[in-house]
């Protein structure tokens, strides 16, 4: 590996190092956003302390990322195939810089956002920039084959999370109203071991499923960067849709570290700002169970969807199921941010890529 790096020109070597660092930084901030989601149900149900919940979530994110199949990773890679004319480092830099900047800004504002949506928007913008620079701007070229299914999954998954969480909690309320009263109490609950175990299992599954889905996005990009710069070592893995263990572990650690250091802002929004009262144990269990099932299904189909959007929608659905009013200001901020993310990511990446190519040329 070191010998292969030394064989590169100084410019390509510098761009390769920058690309790898940006990829890992993207995954770190992904941990700020999406991994923090899994902590809110544990903290606000009082099953674990915040510190223990962070460790629990980070551990299962790490395991999920390492155990991932690679289907989502290569679904992401298919949206932006390697350049046939040599390393296109501006493409890598533009899409990662846009994804990092928007994800960090929304995290700083405490707005749960889809890292997947931002990344896919940036991928589309860079792809369009490549077509423009190559004078291949046709409608057929603009519509990348995997794009429709990817966008459909991003759109439908939060709607599914909302409906399922609402339906699940409504069903339990109608069947077991007495047992549910304690779980919906705002007072310090005395949770039974079956309840604690169920919530621990549901959040472990959610963290694991997040690792299997969101972790793969960084893995796919990292493999693409390495295969573009070092084809002799990584091109075969890319062609055969094989994720080397070293790439899995590196990205998984970045995701886990992001969870450890950036969880508080998003957790507060999900736990206290979604409705007129803080998140209850019943809501946490319902939303976590639905999110786990949805993300695992998407990962099996190779569809990159958002843990953030599914869980946030699930919490909103479970809030309505408890006959509690939603916080309109929070919901309005979420919806507007979700609506503008894709066009902002596409436009920013297209502009940044085009400027970079013009300056570098």
């Amino acid at each position: 590996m070191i010998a292969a790096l030394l064989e590169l020109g100084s410019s390509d070597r510098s761009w390769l190092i920058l690309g790898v660092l940006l990829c890992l930084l993207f995954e770190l901030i992904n941990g700020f956003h999406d991994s923090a989601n899994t902590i809110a149900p544990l903290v606000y149900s009082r099953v674990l302390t915040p510190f223990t919940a962070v460790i629990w979530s980070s551990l299962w994110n790490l395991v999920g990322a390492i155990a991932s199949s690679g289907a989502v990773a290569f679904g992401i890679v298919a949206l932006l195939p390697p350049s046939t004319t040599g390393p296109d480092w501006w493409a890598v830099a533009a899409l990662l810089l846009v994804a990092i900047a928007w994800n960090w800004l929304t995290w700083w504002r405490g707005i749960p956002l889809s890292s997947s949506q931002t990344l896919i928007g940036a991928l589309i913008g860079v792809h369009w920039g490549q077509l423009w620079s190559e004078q291949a701007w046709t409608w057929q070229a603009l519509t990348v084959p995997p794009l429709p299914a990817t966008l459909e999954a991003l759109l439908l998954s939060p709607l599914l999370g909302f409906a399922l969480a609402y339906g699940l909690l409504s069903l339990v309320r109608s069947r077991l109203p007495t047992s549910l009263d304690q779980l919906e109490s705002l007072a310090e609950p005395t949770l039974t071991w079956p309840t604690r175990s169920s919530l621990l299992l549901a959040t472990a599954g959610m963290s694991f499923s997040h690792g299997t889905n969101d972790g793969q996005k960084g893995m796919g990009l990292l493999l693409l960067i390495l295969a573009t710069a070092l084809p002799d070592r990584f091109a075969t893995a890319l062609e055969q849709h094989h994720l080397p263990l070293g790439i899995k572990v590196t990205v998984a650690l970045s995701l886990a570290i992001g969870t450890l250091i950036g969880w508080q802002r998003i957790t507060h929004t999900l736990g206290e700002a979604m409705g007129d009262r803080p998140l209850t144990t019943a809501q946490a269990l319902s939303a976590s169970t639905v999110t786990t099932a949805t993300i695992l299904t998407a990962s099996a189909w190779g569809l990159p969807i958002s843990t953030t959007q599914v869980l946030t929608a699930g919490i909103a659905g479970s809030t309505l199921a408890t006959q509690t009013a939603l916080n309109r200001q929070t919901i309005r901020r979420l919806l507007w941010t979700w609506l503008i993310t894709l066009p902002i990511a596409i436009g920013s990446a297209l502009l940044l890529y085009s400027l970079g190519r013009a300056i570098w040329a």
Side-chain angles (χ1 to χ4, degrees), residues 15 90 133 350-361:
W15 276 109
W90 275 115
S133 66
L350 175 59
L351 178 62
L352 186 59
Y353 176 79
S354 300
L355 288 174
R357 283 292 296 266
I359 295 170
W360 192 254

Side-chain angles (χ1 to χ4, degrees), residues 31 35-36 38-40 42-43 48-64 200 203-204 207-208 252-253 255-263 267:
S35 300
T38 62
I39 296 167
L42 291 170
V43 172
L48 294 178
T49 64
F51 178 76
T52 311
V54 170
I55 298 298
W56 179 258
S57 175
S58 299
L59 173 64
W60 286 106
N61 265 292
L62 180 64
V63 174
L200 284 170
T203 52
S207 296
F208 178 87
L253 286 173
L255 189 64
I257 293 170
T259 309
L260 288 170
I261 63 178
W263 62 275
T267 299

Side-chain angles (χ1 to χ4, degrees), residues 48-357:
L48 294 178
T49 64
F51 178 76
T52 311
V54 170
I55 298 298
W56 179 258
S57 175
S58 299
L59 173 64
W60 286 106
N61 265 292
L62 180 64
V63 174
I66 293 175
S68 57
S69 66
V72 174
F74 294 103
I76 288 291
V77 168
L79 293 174
L80 185 65
S83 174
T84 57
T85 59
D88 192 348
W89 297 118
W90 275 115
V92 174
L95 73 92
L96 286 174
L97 284 171
V98 167
I100 289 168
W102 187 245
N103 285 343
W104 183 87
L105 178 62
T106 52
W107 166 80
W108 184 256
R109 300 290 296 173
I111 302 173
L113 178 75
S114 168
S115 300
S116 307
Q117 190 177 7
T118 310
L119 179 63
I120 289 169
L123 281 164
I124 295 170
V126 167
H127 178 67
W128 289 359
Q130 288 176 321
L131 294 176
W132 182 267
S133 66
E134 296 169 4
Q135 298 182 347
W137 190 271
T138 65
W139 177 251
Q140 184 176 5
L142 288 176
T143 53
V144 187
L147 185 58
T150 300
L151 294 179
E152 286 174 10
L154 281 173
L155 174 65
L156 294 177
S157 54
L159 299 176
L160 186 63
F162 179 91
L164 291 178
Y166 177 86
L168 177 60
L169 196 51
S170 297
L171 179 63
V172 174
R173 282 181 64 87
S174 65
R175 299 288 183 177
L176 302 169
T178 304
S179 301
L180 202 61
D181 287 342
Q182 183 186 36
L183 298 183
E184 293 182 352
S185 172
L186 295 180
E188 185 76 25
T190 305
L191 299 179
T192 62
W193 274 110
T195 301
R196 288 180 177 273
S197 300
S198 297
L199 194 52
L200 284 170
L201 183 61
T203 52
M206 187 162 55
S207 296
F208 178 87
S209 63
H210 174 264
T212 64
N213 196 286
D214 281 69
Q216 289 193 58
K217 296 156 192 170
M219 295 175 195
L221 287 175
L222 184 55
L223 179 58
L224 180 61
I225 291 168
L226 293 172
T228 303
L230 304 170
D232 292 342
R233 294 187 62 87
F234 294 100
T236 301
L238 187 64
E239 292 171 1
Q240 297 179 352
H241 287 194
H242 168 68
L243 283 174
L245 181 60
I247 289 178
K248 285 187 175 185
V249 172
T250 302
V251 172
L253 286 173
S254 298
L255 189 64
I257 293 170
T259 309
L260 288 170
I261 63 178
W263 62 275
Q264 288 180 303
R265 292 181 183 273
I266 304 300
T267 299
H268 173 79
T269 299
L270 293 175
E272 296 190 21
M274 292 296 294
D276 289 346
R277 65 176 188 174
L279 191 69
T280 65
T281 304
Q283 292 173 254
L285 189 55
S286 173
S288 299
T289 302
V290 165
T291 302
T292 300
T294 304
I295 300 298
L296 285 176
T297 302
S299 296
W301 289 349
L303 295 173
I305 67 173
S306 169
T307 304
T308 298
Q309 289 183 338
V310 177
L311 180 66
T312 304
I315 291 176
S318 65
T319 299
L320 286 182
T322 60
Q323 300 178 352
T324 302
L326 291 170
N327 186 320
R328 292 185 179 182
Q329 183 178 1
T330 299
I331 299 300
R332 192 180 299 115
R333 288 176 65 208
L334 288 175
L335 291 178
W336 271 113
T337 305
W338 290 0
L339 285 173
I340 65 175
T341 290
L342 199 61
I344 283 179
I346 292 174
S348 300
L350 175 59
L351 178 62
L352 186 59
Y353 176 79
S354 300
L355 288 174
R357 283 292 296 266

